[in-house]
Amino acid sequence: MLAGKRILLIIGGGVAAFKSLTLIRILRERGASVVPVLTPAAREFVTPLSASALAAERVYTELFDLTGEAEMGHIELSRDADLVVVAPATADLLGKMANGLANDLASTVLMATDKRVLVAPAMNVRMWQHPATQRNVATLTGDGVLFAGPTEGAMACGEFGPGRMAEPEEIANATRDALADGPLRGRHVLVTSGPTHEPIDPVRYIANRSSGAQGTAIARALAGLGAEVTFVTGPAEVPPPAGVRVVRVETARDMLAAVQDALPAAAAVFAAAVADWRVASQSGNKIKKDAAGTLPQLDFAENPDILATVSQMQTGRPALVVGFAAETDDVIASATAKRARKGCDWIVANDVSPETGIMGGSENAVHLIHADGREDWPRMTKDLVAAKLAARIAIALGATGEPGEQGDTT
Ligand code: C5P
């Protein structure tokens, strides 16, 4: 899917810049052409000559490079590509992008482009976790900028944690997904995933064992078919996929608000393990043990049912609403009843009894329940379940690759 595509690769200044040379090689092997732009800081880590040799293209470095401006201005440079990729995206570059600063070639191109932008952040763990960076990431995510990574691991600075640039292979895959000309191109699809956390007091919460693996795989598969995916996720173990708009939430009520904010969508897949109840009287202070050993009493209130709320919308309901039913007994009967009760179109039902190893595992055995009956899918990896489900969604939406039907954002 990369053949014939033109990638403008902005290389920021970081130790990970050397990996971007491998990225150039992989993108070219997959048929893309790569035009590198090096920031002044990047040139401390890799030379324009290496980038140019690997790309077999001229490398751009300065905003006021007169020869460059005569041959190709920075506006044209930003429009000439099919996708702009920033790797490594330093804290400084993310800050400039989020705040609309444009004082060198890289940041100017990023402001001027009319194409999608994919960033692969790379920085020290504390810089990544700094509230300023996290604010910038939230702004950029809201602006529709796509993220690949960062991942967790040992860093050149000797620390450990999130902030490592994604591997070139993974960035190349995210590049492919961002350019995917699949059947869901231009269609907006919403996916919920992960558990929710329902606070008891400022330090304690009620949670469940959902890892977010299945929802993440579904979002990735839908993005792979070209869909514009909004991924509303609770605090999951598995990191969100690249190439989707990520909205992080904590409680069921936050999740409902995020889902309502993200609509309209052509389809919505509710894979999150939403807590059915929350603590009604959440304590503002940490609940303490008392000397008499009195046990705390928790009162519960029912959480909103997000799937039922969206399924029963009178106007603006997604054309296809898919729910999940994780059951431990009477899987088919319970899931069939659930489909009717909630009003969704499909239910993906699975048995999550501990002996199945499905909850938290890498495989799943599901039944797809719809108005015309049910299908029993054999046990397969969660990635394959996701691919199969995404393909079925594309068929159900009658996806022709032409955007613009009801429920689309475009
Ligand atoms: O009722 P139950 O929790 O078994 O329903 C599971 C399905 O409903 C899943 O698709 C889940 O994402 C969704 N759900 C929801 N909001 C809730 C509870 C469940 O969206 N409060």
Side-chain angles (χ1 to χ4, degrees):
M1 264 186 281
L2 281 172
K5 300 291 183 192
R6 198 164 171 80
I7 313 294
L8 187 69
L9 174 64
I10 295 178
I11 304 180
V15 185
F18 77 93
K19 287 198 207 171
S20 301
L21 298 180
T22 311
L23 177 61
I24 296 177
R25 183 176 53 72
I26 296 174
L27 290 172
R28 291 199 62 215
E29 277 168 6
R30 296 197 191 180
S33 59
V34 182
V35 179
V37 170
L38 266 68
T39 65
R43 277 176 278 149
E44 303 291 332
F45 294 92
V46 292
T47 66
L49 193 58
S50 344
S52 172
L54 279 161
E57 291 271 353
R58 168 186 179 162
V59 171
Y60 294 82
T61 52
E62 297 296 343
L63 181 53
F64 298 106
D65 175 337
L66 289 182
T67 332
E69 284 291 320
E71 283 165 16
M72 180 184 282
H74 60 276
I75 304 286
E76 208 182 326
L77 186 63
S78 76
R79 307 278 166 86
D80 195 44
D82 295 300
L83 183 76
V84 182
V85 177
V86 189
T90 58
D92 179 62
L93 264 172
L94 293 181
K96 280 183 179 165
M97 288 173 71
N99 292 288
L101 303 180
N103 64 350
D104 58 13
L105 181 62
S107 52
T108 308
V109 161
L110 284 161
M111 282 282 281
T113 188
D114 57 353
K115 300 301 183 326
R116 297 181 96 183
V117 178
L118 169 74
V119 298
M123 66 197 74
N124 166 272
V125 54
R126 284 188 195 281
M127 292 176 79
W128 172 251
Q129 287 169 339
H130 195 284
T133 303
Q134 290 304 310
R135 268 198 308 276
N136 291 336
V137 169
T139 303
L140 292 170
T141 307
D143 289 347
V145 169
L146 305 169
F147 280 76
T151 58
E152 231 178 68
M155 308 194 139
C157 53
E159 290 185 48
F160 186 92
R164 248 169 83 111
M165 188 166 90
E167 290 306 316
E169 194 75 38
E170 199 187 321
I171 303 172
N173 289 345
T175 303
R176 174 202 62 204
D177 291 347
L179 287 165
D181 223 1
L184 289 174
R185 176 46 105 219
R187 313 297 296 270
H188 179 216
V189 180
L190 176 75
V191 179
T192 71
S193 183
T196 63
H197 284 182
E198 308 295 333
I200 298 171
D201 66 18
V203 297
R204 303 181 179 95
Y205 56 83
I206 294 172
N208 62 64
R209 294 187 193 281
S210 165
S211 63
Q214 187 65 84
T216 302
I218 292 168
R220 183 181 294 117
L222 288 163
L225 295 183
E228 313 225 333
V229 179
T230 301
F231 184 66
V232 180
T233 176
E237 256 173 54
V238 175
V244 305
R245 189 169 85 88
V246 183
V247 184
R248 293 175 202 272
V249 297
E250 195 137 331
T251 68
R253 285 181 296 172
D254 297 343
M255 189 173 271
L256 174 62
V259 163
Q260 286 171 328
D261 254 15
L263 291 175
V269 181
F270 293 92
V274 185
D276 291 315
W277 309 282
R278 65 176 180 277
V279 177
S281 46
Q282 184 195 329
S283 170
N285 302 323
K286 185 182 169 195
I287 303 170
K288 289 191 165 44
K289 276 196 273 193
D290 73 6
T294 325
L295 297 176
Q297 297 294 319
L298 296 182
D299 290 322
F300 288 93
E302 195 158 336
N303 267 332
D305 190 317
I306 307 165
L307 170 62
T309 306
V310 172
S311 296
Q312 292 163 27
M313 281 170 67
Q314 297 301 316
T315 48
R317 181 191 188 276
L320 180 70
V321 179
V322 184
F324 274 70
E327 309 284 348
T328 52
D329 19 40
D330 289 335
V331 177
I332 306 289
S334 317
T336 307
K338 192 166 288 179
R339 193 185 85 83
R341 196 170 62 245
K342 304 225 184 195
C344 55
D345 302 295
W346 297 352
I347 283 269
V348 180
N350 59 358
D351 186 341
V352 289
S353 308
E355 63 274 15
T356 64
I358 284 173
M359 201 90 173
S362 62
E363 290 188 338
N364 209 349
V366 309
H367 311 274
L368 182 66
I369 296 170
H370 41 65
D372 305 325
R374 76 164 216 260
E375 295 164 29
D376 303 321
W377 293 3
R379 190 172 172 122
M380 56 183 102
T381 63
K382 289 183 176 174
D383 286 344
L384 261 180
V385 170
K388 221 165 130 75
L389 188 67
R392 290 295 295 270
I393 291 172
I395 294 167
L397 291 180
T400 58
E402 292 301 320
E405 284 189 22
Q406 196 213 346
D408 283 2
T409 46
T410 48

